[in-house]
Amino acid sequence: MVELSGITKRFGSNTVLNNVSLAVNKSEVVVILGPSGSGKSTLLRCATFLEEPDSGVVRIGNYEITAGVHDSNRKSKIRALRTHTGFVFQHFNLFPHMTAIQNVMEGPVTAKRIPQSQAKELSYELLCKVGLGDKSDCYPSQLSGGQKQRVAIARALAMHPLVMLFDEPTSALDPELVREVLLVMKQLAKEGMTMMIVTHEMAFARDIADRVVFMDGGNIIEMGEASNIFDNPKEDRTKKFLYNIVNR
């Protein structure tokens, strides 16, 4: 479903991603771990060309883009790739002047030209799915952080994405609000949604991941089944990271 090949990204003289390659199968949940600055979030952003890779190829479903190739179809290719990719950000990025249901409707109406009535029905169903049917007419300022993030998940799902990308979706939340977001993500995994998740929630990662990828210094250091990475990591850098997380 997702194939990232030879992704390199530099900011000035700093190489943030160093020839990174990663494939994700349909219905697979891949969790990306690593210290701050390891390139995790940049990899997700490069997968949707929110950051332009310096080199490499991104393929999501049947949509493929080669970095640096600026042909006449490039903008439409990027638009199509993004339309089929759900992205949930750390800080929600909801439109403050729109209600919850209007936030969810915006993508289907503007990008897919779905009629307002149909989009509203779909959006209400998705808000119910994430447990917020009774908050559909609330503005973001009237919602808790966990509720805002669940609206953001519903908004991403409204585009019927091939894959969902989560960039530290709980790191901006108070601890007591984290669980409600993780429960929604677990349900999506059970339903077979293809997912790439950057998170520091270790228990959640162990529970939900089919595979875990550990990154450091812009490289994939180790990759494998969740149980193997958590219980028997092979690389010293992975061992040190997990030890520090558990004992912090």
Side-chain angles (χ1 to χ4, degrees), residues 166-195:
F166 294 86
D167 186 11
E168 300 194 26
T170 60
S171 62
L173 302 180
D174 292 332
E176 65 269 21
L177 301 178
V178 169
R179 183 175 178 272
E180 64 191 55
V181 175
L182 297 184
L183 285 174
V184 170
M185 294 171 67
K186 284 183 179 181
Q187 184 58 39
L188 291 178
K190 287 180 182 178
E191 294 170 2
M193 175 61 72
T194 308
M195 297 161 64

Side-chain angles (χ1 to χ4, degrees), residues 9-228:
K9 177 64 182 177
R10 301 179 189 88
F11 292 107
S13 61
N14 182 29
T15 299
V16 181
L17 294 172
N18 183 25
N19 196 35
V20 173
S21 295
L22 175 64
V24 181
N25 297 318
K26 184 177 180 180
S27 299
E28 186 178 25
V29 178
V30 172
V31 171
I32 305 172
L33 304 178
S36 297
S38 60
K40 311 181 300 296
S41 295
T42 302
L43 184 63
L44 292 192
R45 294 178 69 83
C46 283
T48 52
F49 280 76
L50 292 172
E51 295 287 355
E52 176 80 30
D54 292 299
S55 61
V57 179
V58 173
R59 181 183 63 77
I60 294 178
N62 295 322
Y63 303 92
E64 183 176 298
I65 303 173
T66 301
V69 176
H70 295 272
D71 56 31
S72 59
N73 296 323
R74 179 179 175 78
K75 286 187 178 179
S76 62
K77 286 180 180 178
I78 291 176
R79 191 179 304 115
L81 183 142
R82 288 177 181 168
T83 298
H84 291 84
T85 306
F87 204 124
V88 178
F89 299 88
Q90 179 177 346
H91 292 291
F92 326 130
N93 290 359
L94 299 179
F95 295 112
H97 63 289
M98 293 183 178
T99 63
I101 198 165
Q102 289 170 338
N103 266 279
V104 179
M105 288 172 59
E106 182 68 12
V109 170
T110 59
K112 291 194 169 184
R113 309 298 183 193
I114 293 176
Q116 288 266 355
S117 58
Q118 185 180 338
K120 188 170 185 178
E121 184 179 347
L122 166 68
S123 299
Y124 181 71
E125 288 174 1
L126 288 170
L127 286 172
C128 289
K129 180 184 179 73
V130 299
L132 293 174
D134 61 334
K135 301 291 184 181
S136 61
D137 293 325
C138 292
Y139 289 91
S141 61
Q142 299 171 301
L143 301 175
S144 69
Q147 290 169 337
K148 291 176 189 176
Q149 194 60 292
R150 284 185 282 155
V151 172
I153 293 172
R155 179 179 61 180
L157 291 173
M159 298 297 288
H160 295 296
L162 297 172
V163 58
M164 288 282 286
L165 309 182
F166 294 86
D167 186 11
E168 300 194 26
T170 60
S171 62
L173 302 180
D174 292 332
E176 65 269 21
L177 301 178
V178 169
R179 183 175 178 272
E180 64 191 55
V181 175
L182 297 184
L183 285 174
V184 170
M185 294 171 67
K186 284 183 179 181
Q187 184 58 39
L188 291 178
K190 287 180 182 178
E191 294 170 2
M193 175 61 72
T194 308
M195 297 161 64
M196 295 175 66
I197 304 169
V198 171
T199 184
H200 290 294
E201 298 288 338
M202 294 298 111
F204 170 71
R206 178 192 283 268
D207 187 36
I208 196 174
D210 296 303
R211 271 190 301 148
V212 170
V213 174
F214 175 70
M215 293 185 66
D216 193 25
N219 297 285
I220 292 178
I221 305 300
E222 188 167 356
M223 177 167 47
E225 293 183 5
S227 58
N228 290 337

